[in-house]
Amino acid sequence: MREFAALYWRLDSTTSTTDKLEALADYFRAAADDDAVCALRLLSGGRQSRGVSTALLRAWASEAAGIPLWLLEECYAQVGDLAETLALVLPRGGAVSAADGCGLAAWIRETIEPLREADDDRKKELVHDAWRRLGPDERIVWHKLLTGGCRVGVSRTLVAKALAEVAGIDAAVMTHRLMGGVETAEDYRRLFSPETTESGSQRPYPFFLASALDEPAEALGPVTEWQAEWKWDGARVQIVRRGGGCSVWTRGEELANESFPEILAAAAALPDGSVLDGELLAVRAGALLGFAALSRRIGRRRATKKVLADIPCVFVAYDLLEASGQDLRGLPLAERRRRLETLGLPTFPTADATLQLSPRLDADAWGDLAAARATARDRGVEGLMLKRRASVYGTGRTRGDWWKWKIEPLEIDAVLLYAQAGHGRRAGLHSDYTLGVWHEGRLVTIAKAYSGLTDAEIVEVDRIVRATTLERHGPVRICSPTLVFQLAFEGVSRSTRHKAGVAVRFPRIVRWRRDKQPTDANSLGDLVALIDAAAPSGAAS
Amino acid sequence: MADLLELTPEGLYCRQGDFHVDPWRRVPRAIVTHAHADHARPGCDRYLCAARGKLVLRERIGGAAPIDTLRFGESISINGVQVSLHSAGHVLGSAQVRIEHAGVTWVVTGDYKLQSDPTCDPFEHVEADVFVTESTFGLPIYRWAEPETVANAINAWWRENQAAGRTSVVLAYALGKAQRIAALVDPSIGPIVAHGAVMKMVRTYRDSGVRLPSIDAVPPRARRVGDGRALVIAPPSVAGSSWLRLFGEARVAPASGWMTVRGIRRRRGCERGFVLSDHADFPGLLTAIEASRARRVLVTHGASDSLARLLQERGLDAAPLATRFTGEPPPDDGGPAEESGEETDPDATVGEAA
């Protein structure tokens, strides 16, 4: 436990990838196999099932600290991290950790797993016992294990790199070996086996990324040199169909097979030795559900029946990177596209087809494409993609051949009504804002926004929030309306779940309108007019 | 019976004695607890402070306005009101103001700490009917380690950096914290170098009779200072500024009570922070309040709402008092960092109002 806590703090104290890599490699070099299995699970975001509620932990910690519960909540608002708050208020234990010599796996077995079966009295005993055995910094890490998450800003890729370094093998091979999970010490030892057979066989290609178009499309030259497609509001993936198997890889190079079983099943019908680049879309009854819905699927390791039924997904292909086992990335897009079309996938939208073809938007003039782009919001897409027909499939984000031509966001001016202290870097600063617009002489809340201001502005807004607080409800402050923000969002629709009767999509603050008074802000009527102006239809066609 | 102090637009005012305590506007007669900018403002006609703090106050407010002084514990009568000053242990010359009239005693603590500090007099517990206390770190998460423990940590970090050929830069308020750190660390490790704003106060401390180890100033128009062996003490405003380039490869760590909270450390982007404060921690505040035996407690700047509520629950007549004292503002609470060079006026440095 001590070693894992030390790793946690080493990772936490640096932003340098090299330092993190070194810390991880040091840890895995020294760790026992079963401890390493636990550490891997925790580092890759795996959660320990919760054996005790945070309500009980708060109650016991405030009791041990001799402070009322409300004061602990005040502390939480300042600290922005419950695990840390609990550790900071608890009486300081013995300076030397007694967890010494007890490995992570044993520690979890002894102090966390028994909590699940225990009654509250026994839980309290176990928790107090653990507090006695841990130093303050170790308590924070233990609280994090107890309450679920232990995220410390390391990507799976970084963990894979560190393990690859320890094993002395290629990082991509290690990434592949890590796929499917490491459940036992035996799985863990297999990561370090010298044989490399079959490894890499399901590996995707590095994704080629587009840049945002920041000049008029006409500047790109003749429209005939460009292939235009819809810019989907989905998740970029590659489908790898090789050696009798299939894999769905996200852009974060994570295997998403278990989240998208229906895609995987359909991909089995593709000819062996092919790799498709495209987008996962959430579609129900012909209507695009958008990224928010899709993220509920991505967020799950394993898709449940309910989620599969609620959020059906399709894959639309827009590039072919490999066919008959041949790497096609060096061919011009026009040729890759020709070969992609020979696979015989139906063009999106087609009912009851899981794998579909993303349509080309052929045009004779930029004006035609501009007109198509103007319909993007109605179709539930983000705009257009422009890809040079002669371009090869590159690596990473190389400017010049692939452009995102997104639609302009909708915007209104809204008034700050509530503010809440943020977490992590923003702990103690009121940085989560609830904004409102006018309706019948009153301000009604329409959106929460967490981003868009600079750090200096957040500090300034925090000060104003404190100075204009009318009421406090725990960490939330109700302010007298003085600040106006320009709010951008991707769409607006009617909603019965929101008090104002409308829901905005992906709201974010564009700028602080210091030049405007609250009375200058928009009204609910203005927002509703935006819905009527862009009545949502169904899928793009 | 009228209160001995009331809140006016100028600040805390004693009507019976016709004087202000730490006023934030120009007034005829100001009693100043200590020389930090949120308590001591230039422009008053006449000042009164502790004798130990006279040079420091003069350095801060400048000008020629007369500064009267009292030794700690010495009492005078101002318009029939008995006034005495008692050490607050915050910085050199920092005082609590005891005000007595018609059998009623008020004490205004100013900023204070109970921890030991080789650069100033120790805190004195003073009894009062009404105790006006600060509450900068008035939440139970704030509990300080012994200064020696922090000093050891700074020494170890300094040695570690030295071994790697890196300069160690500690960020500390130019008045008080900087001198305290200079006095706490082990000068045998290597040279101690001070930023101009810090150096100015080092001289004033020495002139006031405080013993400090040998400290080097940064030479004017220097292009490169030291060889990675030094401990540099500089005000927080130099964070992220080009001034730091003088030292080549350097590690920067703020020393502040706020460094308790990981989120604040991370926001500052510092790999390291030392929890060292010139304010009382939560147990320290409760100790001072209890020792005052006051039945009524007014809580100023900091966690005033929650500390007042806690005291109420413990049976005291307690309330927050809305002053313009800022205590030690969180390190990133001072707006954008300014360029801070040799010529910078210490009063102009950001976040200096401790």
Side-chain angles (χ1 to χ4, degrees):
Chain A
M1 178 65 189
R2 171 178 264 194
E3 291 75 15
F4 182 74
L7 169 67
Y8 182 89
W9 292 111
R10 245 181 106 179
L11 293 171
D12 180 74
S13 69
T14 179
T15 49
S16 146
T17 309
T18 323
D19 291 352
K20 287 186 180 182
L21 198 59
E22 201 183 299
L24 287 165
D26 287 350
Y27 176 83
F28 285 115
R29 257 184 218 112
D33 293 347
D34 56 343
D35 292 340
V37 171
C38 292
L40 261 181
R41 188 179 67 234
L42 295 168
L43 289 169
S44 55
R47 283 169 164 264
Q48 206 58 48
S49 69
R50 188 173 285 192
V52 57
S53 67
T54 65
L56 285 175
L57 285 175
R58 287 168 207 236
W60 296 333
S62 67
E63 185 191 75
I67 57 169
L69 191 57
W70 65 261
L71 189 52
L72 183 124
E73 300 298 338
E74 294 267 317
C75 293
Y76 180 33
Q78 171 119 91
V79 175
D81 180 313
L82 185 64
E84 189 185 349
T85 309
L86 298 176
L88 285 173
V89 300
L90 282 172
R92 306 258 194 268
V96 181
S97 156
D100 207 9
C102 183
L104 179 62
W107 184 257
I108 290 174
R109 213 161 41 234
E110 286 169 25
T111 70
I112 297 183
E113 285 169 4
L115 285 171
R116 240 175 298 162
E117 309 297 327
D119 60 23
D120 283 5
D121 288 342
R122 177 75 188 130
K123 281 183 192 193
K124 188 173 176 180
E125 231 172 76
L126 286 163
V127 167
H128 271 92
D129 187 48
W131 280 338
R132 267 192 296 278
R133 293 171 64 190
L134 296 169
D137 283 354
E138 293 164 346
R139 283 177 184 165
I140 299 182
V141 177
W142 184 65
H143 292 152
K144 286 188 178 287
L145 300 186
L146 267 190
T147 55
C150 194
R151 279 177 305 159
V152 65
V154 292
S155 63
R156 287 177 167 216
T157 319
L158 199 67
V159 173
K161 260 191 189 166
L163 286 167
E165 202 183 296
V166 175
I169 60 170
D170 187 52
V173 175
M174 183 56 80
T175 309
H176 179 225
R177 287 186 184 178
L178 283 169
M179 291 306 155
V182 176
E183 307 280 341
T184 63
E186 197 179 322
D187 290 347
Y188 181 72
R189 281 190 290 274
R190 208 172 291 137
L191 298 177
F192 299 93
S193 93
E195 319 140 39
T196 54
T197 49
E198 72 152 9
S199 51
S201 71
Q202 292 293 321
R203 240 184 297 162
Y205 291 103
F207 284 83
F208 189 35
L209 307 176
S211 311
L213 186 64
D214 46 13
E215 52 182 356
E218 287 78 3
L220 296 176
V223 70
T224 49
E225 288 179 10
W226 295 86
Q227 173 181 309
E229 303 157 17
W230 295 118
K231 173 159 184 8
W232 303 109
D233 184 21
R236 180 92 180 268
V237 294
Q238 275 181 39
I239 293 181
V240 176
R241 170 89 178 95
R242 284 193 202 119
C246 295
S247 310
V248 178
W249 291 83
T250 68
R251 227 196 74 187
E253 286 173 42
E254 297 202 6
L255 206 51
N257 290 4
E258 290 172 358
S259 309
F260 297 95
E262 77 270 51
I263 306 289
L264 205 65
L270 291 167
D272 203 65
S274 40
V275 176
L276 275 67
D277 185 12
E279 197 110 348
L280 289 176
L281 302 176
V283 186
R284 190 173 49 219
L288 282 167
L289 300 179
F291 185 75
L294 186 65
S295 59
R296 285 183 50 208
R297 286 282 302 266
I298 298 170
R300 274 165 213 262
R301 275 290 154 74
R302 237 171 278 267
T304 61
K305 266 187 189 155
K306 174 162 170 34
V307 123
L308 278 173
D310 285 356
I311 309 163
C313 291
V314 302
F315 171 83
V316 291
Y318 40 65
D319 216 325
L320 183 65
L321 309 185
E322 184 177 308
S324 314
Q326 296 286 305
D327 182 352
L328 305 183
R329 292 176 301 158
L331 296 178
L333 170 64
E335 175 58 19
R336 298 200 308 274
R337 176 77 195 191
R338 191 190 64 76
R339 296 199 190 190
L340 175 65
E341 288 175 8
T342 63
L343 289 178
L345 302 178
T347 300
F348 184 84
T350 303
D352 302 324
T354 306
L355 304 187
Q356 308 189 27
L357 183 69
S358 180
R360 270 181 299 146
L361 306 174
D362 292 325
D364 299 324
W366 285 113
D368 299 346
L369 289 181
R373 175 171 169 266
T375 69
R377 199 183 307 277
D378 297 359
R379 298 169 184 272
V381 300
E382 296 183 326
L384 297 187
M385 293 295 304
L386 301 173
K387 299 175 179 173
R388 197 185 293 278
R389 289 184 198 272
S391 65
V392 298
Y393 190 92
T395 306
R397 200 182 304 274
T398 319
R399 284 174 72 87
D401 288 333
W402 279 28
W403 298 103
K404 296 183 274 198
W405 194 19
K406 290 173 73 159
I407 39 177
E408 307 299 333
L410 299 169
E411 289 183 347
I412 53 153
D413 292 329
V415 182
L416 178 69
L417 297 178
Y418 316 136
Q420 183 169 354
H423 292 84
R425 281 183 71 240
R426 306 257 158 95
L429 281 178
H430 292 84
S431 57
D432 301 352
Y433 311 124
T434 302
L435 304 166
V437 291
W438 293 101
H439 181 55
E440 295 174 351
R442 296 175 47 216
L443 286 159
V444 292
T445 63
I446 49 148
K448 266 189 152 190
Y450 303 90
S451 63
L453 297 181
T454 65
D455 286 351
E457 283 174 329
I458 289 171
V459 169
E460 204 180 335
V461 169
D462 175 73
R463 246 188 250 139
I464 296 171
V465 164
R466 288 172 195 274
T468 60
T469 300
L470 299 174
E471 277 176 58
R472 292 180 63 176
H473 297 277
V476 180
R477 285 168 185 257
I478 301 180
C479 314
S480 60
T482 55
L483 304 181
V484 180
F485 295 115
Q486 188 173 331
L487 189 73
F489 45 94
E490 292 307 315
V492 52
S493 51
R494 292 188 197 281
S495 161
T496 50
R497 290 193 303 124
H498 292 74
K499 226 194 269 174
V502 296
V504 296
R505 214 161 69 77
F506 190 31
R508 69 268 184 193
I509 293 167
V510 185
R511 66 179 63 86
W512 180 358
R513 294 300 303 255
R514 293 171 194 262
D515 55 326
K516 292 205 170 181
Q517 297 300 315
T519 46
D520 301 332
N522 284 97
S523 69
L524 192 58
D526 298 336
L527 256 185
V528 172
L530 290 174
I531 305 181
D532 297 338
S537 62
S541 52
Chain B
M1 183 181 61
D3 282 354
L4 283 184
L5 286 167
E6 60 191 283
L7 209 50
T8 67
E10 289 73 32
L12 284 175
Y13 179 59
C14 176
R15 189 171 298 280
Q16 295 85 341
D18 190 23
F19 60 81
H20 287 81
V21 178
D22 291 353
W24 41 82
R25 288 191 190 165
R26 295 170 179 202
V27 300
R29 180 152 205 168
I31 299 179
V32 173
T33 60
H34 66 286
H36 279 142
D38 56 328
H39 293 261
R41 321 237 168 181
C44 296
D45 297 340
R46 195 170 192 96
Y47 293 88
L48 174 68
C49 74
R52 289 278 275 158
K54 182 175 181 177
L55 297 182
V56 178
L57 181 61
R58 176 64 75 201
E59 175 67 44
R60 279 306 179 95
I61 59 170
I67 299 178
D68 304 321
T69 62
L70 284 177
R71 291 188 309 279
F72 287 133
E74 185 187 356
S75 174
I76 54 161
S77 167
I78 304 178
N79 302 319
V81 174
Q82 285 302 119
V83 174
S84 58
L85 301 179
H86 303 267
S87 180
H90 176 58
V91 297
L92 180 60
S94 64
Q96 308 170 72
V97 184
R98 182 182 184 279
I99 302 167
E100 186 184 343
H101 181 71
V104 176
T105 306
W106 285 51
V107 165
V108 181
T109 65
D111 293 340
Y112 66 97
K113 71 169 174 287
L114 274 56
Q115 271 194 336
S116 72
D117 179 345
T119 63
C120 70
D121 302 86
F123 179 84
E124 181 191 342
H125 288 290
V126 187
E127 293 189 6
D129 297 304
V130 183
F131 196 62
V132 183
T133 179
E134 66 136 323
S135 64
T136 306
F137 292 105
L139 286 175
I141 52 175
Y142 297 110
R143 288 176 294 168
W144 313 145
E146 290 304 316
E148 293 68 32
T149 310
V150 182
N152 290 339
I154 298 176
N155 289 336
W157 174 73
W158 184 7
R159 286 200 187 92
E160 193 183 301
N161 287 336
Q162 215 174 43
R166 297 185 297 243
T167 305
S168 307
V169 182
V170 176
L171 303 181
Y173 298 115
L175 163 53
K177 183 83 63 66
Q179 291 73 24
R180 186 182 182 200
I181 288 170
L184 275 175
V185 296
D186 178 359
S188 72
I189 297 174
I192 301 174
V193 175
H195 180 273
V198 171
M199 203 62 207
K200 209 182 264 190
M201 279 301 157
V202 165
R203 291 188 198 107
T204 313
Y205 263 54
R206 285 189 175 134
D207 293 345
S208 306
V210 176
R211 285 176 58 98
L212 291 172
S214 165
I215 300 170
D216 301 327
V218 177
R221 278 169 288 284
R223 309 191 68 171
R224 185 62 196 260
V225 178
D227 50 4
R229 295 179 54 245
L231 178 77
V232 177
I233 305 177
S237 55
V238 304
S241 79
S242 59
W243 184 82
L244 285 173
R245 282 188 223 133
L246 279 174
F247 306 100
E249 206 196 328
R251 286 281 190 274
V252 180
S256 160
W258 300 110
M259 292 297 115
T260 303
V261 177
R262 182 163 141 263
I264 298 178
R265 288 201 302 271
R266 281 162 70 204
R267 197 144 79 217
R268 272 301 282 280
C270 38
E271 299 114 17
R272 200 58 200 269
F274 298 104
V275 181
L276 184 72
S277 180
D278 286 332
H279 292 267
D281 60 3
F282 180 76
L285 291 168
L286 294 182
T287 302
I289 290 165
E290 197 182 340
S292 77
R293 305 172 75 116
R295 295 290 308 141
R296 183 172 167 209
V297 179
L298 298 173
V299 187
T300 68
H301 58 307
S304 48
D305 291 351
S306 47
L307 186 58
R309 179 173 166 192
L310 183 72
L311 296 173
Q312 282 163 15
E313 289 183 2
R314 294 185 177 185
L316 291 177
D317 175 11
L321 185 66
T323 63
R324 290 200 201 163
F325 309 136
T326 54
E328 182 178 346
D332 46 0
D333 212 28
E338 292 163 16
E339 285 289 290
S340 197
E342 188 62 25
E343 292 80 29
T344 311
D345 174 358
D347 279 313
T349 53
V350 168
E352 191 57 20

